[in-house]
Amino acid sequence: MVLTGKRIVLGVSGGIAAYKAVEICRRLVDAGAHVVPVMTAGAEHFLGRTTLSALASEPVQTDLWNATEPIPHTRLGQSADLILVAPATARVISAYATGLSTDLLTNTLLATRAPVMVCPAMHTEMWEHPAVVDNITTLRRRGVHVVDPEQGRLAGGDVGAGRLAAPDRIVQAVERLFTPRDLDGTRVVVTAGGTREPIDAVRVIANRSSGKQGIAIARAAAARGARVTLVTTVGAPGLHDIEVVEVETAAQMQEAMQACAPAADVIVMAAAVADFRPKVVADRKLKKADGAPDIVLEPTPDILAGLGDAKPAGQILVGFAAETDDLLDNAARKLAAKKLDLIVANDVGAPGVGFQHDTNAVTLLQPGAEPRSVGLRRKDDIADAVIDTVVGLRSATTSSPGPTSAIDPEPTP
Ligand code: PMT
């Protein structure tokens, strides 16, 4: 987890959105960060200290004048890996832009060399006021990270721009800040979920894939700078910066993949694609009274094998192997037959592994290399291990330009 051990000062200033700081704090702590909360006097009108203190890694601090520590702002500023201000009011933004230090939070902002991220929240009129616009422009120019507010419902029932960005968006922005951008400029296509093959107007043949592993890989690739397309059979909310293509059947997934594969630098097929589908699909609901139907199955197209056959030079093609027996032999066979650069084998019969779980355990196989096992851990961590291997494969093949370089060449001096 990229936030493990990172010391984050969470500045909370006085707006109605202060209550969302609680959720942000909880998520950062869950992600392994050490969160030190600092509240302004305004924030205390909206949020009690006790809630934030209970969830953070240290009790809330509010005061510049502190009996036990004479200069708390320098310790906070100097020891931070990040100062995150959420919500950031017009006052705090203005004070920070002009270098005014009036309370513990604004002093800490000036007493740090750590990165700073501000998440503004205010009424639309204030957010669009030229003074606030100028202050935000100044902060951006100085390298401050700004998570723009969203359109939506504001205090008092008004609707417009200025609502604090959703906590998951803010936490993702924080994670991205600490994540190496080693896929910058690459195009990555990931599949997720299980295909559903219709029997009649209401029934389908499906499998147990939740899409969690594929979605984790899409997120990991996006966090590392890639332009990601996720071809998925399951809805995936909160995927900012990821293009999502929703499909249902193997045929639809194949069509979507054929459209985006030629321009992809990396393809990861984590979806569980049905191997067979009903040969004939009834356009109405089959009647129970007619007795059990004889359903004749036919093979679906092997999407990954087709991508292997058409693979452009430099493209990295990654498959998964879901096995219950002879894991390594079966995976090695698929690696060769589908012309893959990497196959991620999971023993889906083992506890906590594969379908639906939040965890997975995998063995990574590459042509001509020793298999490498990654023990049981969260699917996010498995995703990072897969992406690490992809990055290694890409740097080993830098002499061979991938599709992105062919489409969008660097200007030559
Ligand atoms: O979604 P989760 O609940 O998080 O579960 C994750 C997972 C178990 C689905 C995932 O880890 C996984 O193993 N995905 C691949 C499942 C699968 O279909 O495995 P397979 O061994 O049957 O297929 C081998 C490869 O060929 C896979 O990359 C598959 O996407 C691809 N394939 C298979 C059949 C087909 N007709 N076309 C394909 O492209």
Side-chain angles (χ1 to χ4, degrees):
M1 293 196 289
V2 287
L3 297 187
T4 303
K6 293 286 184 252
R7 198 176 165 85
I8 299 177
V9 172
L10 173 61
V12 184
S13 56
I16 187 72
Y19 76 94
K20 292 191 189 167
V22 174
E23 177 66 11
I24 295 165
C25 175
R26 192 187 61 78
R27 289 188 188 213
L28 292 174
V29 170
D30 285 352
H34 182 98
V35 179
V36 185
V38 172
M39 285 169 71
T40 65
E44 288 193 81
H45 287 286
F46 295 95
L47 183 66
R49 289 183 196 200
T50 319
T51 317
L52 209 49
S53 289
L55 291 167
S57 317
E58 293 184 14
V60 166
Q61 299 189 47
T62 54
D63 213 342
L64 252 183
W65 315 108
N66 173 332
T68 52
E69 195 174 12
I71 41 172
H73 59 291
T74 52
R75 187 188 62 82
L76 284 169
Q78 287 168 359
S79 62
D81 293 304
L82 170 72
I83 306 211
L84 170 68
V85 187
T89 58
R91 181 191 73 80
V92 165
I93 289 166
S94 162
Y96 185 33
T98 53
L100 193 66
S101 53
T102 52
D103 57 12
L104 182 58
L105 179 57
T106 49
N107 272 274
T108 305
L109 282 166
L110 297 186
T112 193
R113 296 211 166 105
V116 173
M117 183 178 284
V118 297
C119 310
M122 61 197 77
H123 252 71
T124 310
E125 294 83 348
M126 297 171 77
W127 174 240
E128 292 175 353
H129 192 285
V132 175
V133 171
D134 283 354
N135 287 332
I136 288 287
T137 306
T138 301
L139 293 184
R140 282 195 212 270
R141 200 184 58 241
R142 289 180 190 154
V144 172
H145 304 271
V146 179
V147 182
D148 283 327
E150 296 171 354
Q151 294 272 343
R153 208 154 156 250
L154 304 165
D158 294 340
V159 175
R163 189 169 72 167
L164 182 68
D168 69 334
R169 219 180 111 211
I170 293 172
V171 174
Q172 266 182 35
V174 171
E175 285 176 338
R176 281 182 189 195
L177 208 66
F178 290 106
T179 304
R181 305 279 297 177
D182 44 16
L183 285 180
D184 250 342
T186 57
R187 293 183 193 207
V188 175
V189 181
V190 182
T191 63
T195 62
R196 289 183 294 274
E197 309 300 331
I199 296 170
D200 64 11
V202 299
R203 300 179 181 93
V204 294
I205 295 177
N207 63 62
R208 297 181 197 281
S209 171
S210 63
K212 287 177 189 174
Q213 186 61 82
I215 291 168
I217 290 172
R219 279 188 201 279
R224 290 165 78 152
R227 278 170 60 189
V228 178
T229 301
L230 176 68
V231 178
T232 176
T233 64
V234 291
L239 291 181
H240 314 288
D241 310 334
I242 292 179
E243 182 195 12
V244 176
V245 179
E246 292 198 21
V247 296
E248 183 168 352
T249 63
Q252 289 167 0
M253 186 171 277
Q254 183 188 40
E255 195 184 333
M257 292 306 288
Q258 282 173 344
C260 45
D265 297 289
V266 179
I267 295 176
V268 183
M269 283 282 305
V273 185
D275 288 319
F276 301 99
R277 64 186 170 203
K279 199 168 183 174
V280 177
V281 180
D283 55 3
R284 305 178 69 84
K285 183 182 174 191
L286 294 173
K287 294 277 178 291
K288 189 176 168 186
D290 294 339
D294 288 328
I295 298 171
V296 179
L297 300 178
E298 65 177 6
T300 56
D302 190 322
I303 304 170
L304 191 53
L307 295 173
D309 287 336
K311 191 159 84 93
Q315 185 180 75
I316 307 284
L317 189 56
V318 182
F320 268 70
E323 309 293 343
T324 51
D325 311 283
D326 303 325
L327 180 73
L328 294 189
D329 285 350
N330 285 329
R333 199 175 33 76
K334 289 175 186 174
L335 176 74
K338 303 192 190 208
K339 305 189 178 91
L340 308 179
D341 300 288
L342 171 67
I343 195 156
V344 184
N346 37 196
D347 175 355
V348 292
V353 175
F355 293 95
Q356 294 179 333
H357 301 289
D358 290 329
T359 50
N360 206 357
V362 299
T363 304
L364 303 169
L365 287 93
Q366 292 168 237
E370 280 298 304
R372 194 163 60 82
S373 293
V374 184
L376 192 70
R377 57 198 68 184
R378 282 157 40 95
K379 281 182 173 164
D380 291 349
D381 297 328
I382 298 290
D384 278 332
V386 172
I387 296 295
D388 284 346
T389 311
V390 165
V391 169
L393 280 165
R394 274 182 60 76
S395 52
T397 56
T398 40
S399 54
S400 165
T404 298
S405 4
I407 286 167
D408 188 16
E410 287 281 306
T412 40

